[in-house]
Amino acid sequence: PLSNLDAKLRLEMRYELQRLHVETKSTFVYVTHDQMEAMTLATSICLIHNGVLQQYDAPLTVYHQPNNLFVADFVGNPSINFVEARGSQEADGSIRLSLLNGEEAVFYPKKPVSLKEWFAGRNQTEREGEAKRKAQLTEKKVVEKGNKDEMFRYHISRVQEDYGIWEEPEITDGDFVLGIRPECIVWNSSAGLEAEIYGAMPTGMESTVKLRLGEYLLTGVAFGGDTYRIGAKTRIAVTGNDILLYDRKSQRFIAAGKLDFSIQ
C-alpha cells in the first residue's frame, strides 16, 4: 500500500502504521515485497519463497541468523556478501577454510558445533522430507507443484561477471558459503587482506564502498563523511562474531561466529 508514495511520505506512513498497531491492539497481517517495510514494521516476519515458508521469526533474528542463503540475501541493505569457501573442522572445533584468492582463514563458531553430526542430521532430514513428499503424492487431494522447488542461485560479486549458462557444480560436505554483512568489513586497518577501492557512494552519514580483492568484490559500510579515491590501495579486516557459515550443498545455516585471517 505504500509503494506509490514518495520516499519521505512512505517513511511517515510506516510510523503511522506502527502507532495504529499499538493503539488498536489488533493483529495486523501486512504483505509486502519490500524488506525495509517488513523489517521496520513487523514484530514477526513470515518469509516465503516459491510458495514455501523459509523462516518465521522476529526481524532481528531473521537479520542476524537467517535460516538459509535466500533469507540472508533477501534481508539487508546493502546486500550481504557471499563468499564460497572450502575446508574442514579441526580437533578444537574451529573450521579451517580456503577462500577468495586462496586466502587461508579460520572460522570460530560462537556455539560449539560438530560438522559430522550436523551433516548427519541434514541427511536424515532430507530423507524424511523426501519420504513425506512421496507419501503425500499418493493421496488424491494432493497435487505436485508445477513450479518445482529450485536451489536458490546466490550471487558472488566479481569484477568480470559471468553471464553464461549456469551449471550445477559438484558439491561435497567440504564446501561452504560465508555470509558477511557489509558492516562487518573494516578497511584502512593496519592488518588484514590487501584490497583496492573499486567504487564508493558517500551519502553524508555513511558511505558504501566496493572493495576489490583480486577478481572478487566485497561491499562494506562505514559511518562518517569520509571520501575515498577509486583505485586507492587499502587493507581490510572482517570483524565481529556474526559471520554466517552455510552448508553449500543444502544452503542451510550452520553457525555464526568469528572469521580470522591472521593465521600462519
Side-chain angles (χ1 to χ4, degrees):
L2 309 183
S3 59
N4 292 323
L5 305 179
D6 64 73
K8 289 184 178 180
L9 185 55
R10 191 180 306 139
L11 180 60
E12 292 301 318
M13 283 301 298
R14 288 177 191 163
Y15 284 118
E16 186 68 12
L17 286 170
Q18 277 186 329
R19 188 184 61 80
L20 288 171
H21 185 214
V22 173
E23 289 184 355
T24 61
K25 298 180 181 179
S26 303
T27 299
F28 284 15
V29 178
Y30 189 97
V31 181
T32 179
H33 293 279
D34 188 330
Q35 54 129 330
M36 288 300 294
E37 288 183 8
M39 289 293 294
T40 55
L41 290 175
T43 54
S44 294
I45 292 178
C46 177
L47 188 54
I48 297 173
H49 175 58
N50 198 19
V52 178
L53 176 66
Q54 304 296 314
Q55 189 162 355
Y56 180 62
D57 269 314
L60 291 181
T61 303
V62 173
Y63 183 83
H64 290 296
Q65 193 173 316
N67 279 351
N68 53 46
L69 292 178
F70 171 79
V71 178
D73 181 70
F74 188 85
V75 177
N77 187 26
S79 296
I80 194 170
N81 298 289
F82 287 132
V83 177
E84 292 175 343
R86 185 170 180 81
S88 59
Q89 191 164 34
E90 301 289 308
D92 63 356
S94 65
I95 303 168
R96 185 172 287 265
L97 300 170
S98 176
L99 61 156
L100 295 172
N101 302 296
E103 299 288 348
E104 297 293 322
V106 176
F107 179 82
Y108 297 98
K110 283 197 292 189
K111 297 180 180 179
V113 59
S114 167
L115 288 184
K116 183 178 180 180
E117 294 178 2
W118 192 93
F119 289 137
R122 177 203 63 188
N123 295 338
Q124 179 66 22
T125 300
E126 289 178 351
R127 286 194 295 268
E128 291 174 354
E130 182 63 20
K132 182 179 179 181
R133 187 185 69 84
K134 289 181 178 180
Q136 287 176 333
L137 291 177
T138 61
E139 302 178 21
K140 293 183 179 180
K141 62 182 179 181
V142 176
V143 179
E144 190 170 11
K145 289 180 63 176
N147 57 333
K148 300 286 187 179
D149 296 334
E150 296 181 355
M151 191 69 75
F152 171 65
R153 297 181 184 179
Y154 56 87
H155 179 246
I156 301 293
S157 186
R158 293 181 173 90
V159 177
Q160 296 292 333
E161 295 289 358
D162 183 8
Y163 295 103
I165 297 175
W166 192 82
E167 296 182 359
E168 189 74 32
E170 184 177 347
I171 300 173
T172 69
D173 287 346
D175 290 299
F176 304 94
V177 178
L178 290 168
I180 306 172
R181 294 288 182 193
E183 61 267 26
C184 295
I185 295 180
V186 178
W187 58 96
N188 294 326
S189 59
S190 58
L193 305 178
E194 292 184 0
E196 176 186 310
I197 304 293
Y198 189 77
M201 292 188 293
T203 61
M205 183 180 70
E206 65 181 21
S207 296
T208 301
V209 178
K210 284 279 188 182
L211 299 150
R212 178 176 180 174
L213 293 88
E215 64 175 304
Y216 296 98
L217 295 174
L218 297 178
T219 302
V221 172
F223 288 97
D226 295 335
T227 56
Y228 302 93
R229 181 173 62 85
I230 293 177
K233 303 297 182 182
T234 186
R235 301 187 76 88
I236 69 168
V238 178
T239 63
N241 292 315
D242 292 312
I243 311 304
L244 307 172
L245 182 70
Y246 290 91
D247 169 36
R248 188 175 171 188
K249 196 170 186 179
S250 66
Q251 300 192 354
R252 296 176 184 170
F253 174 79
I254 298 176
K258 176 184 176 182
L259 189 65
D260 185 8
F261 285 96
S262 61
I263 59 174
Q264 300 299 321

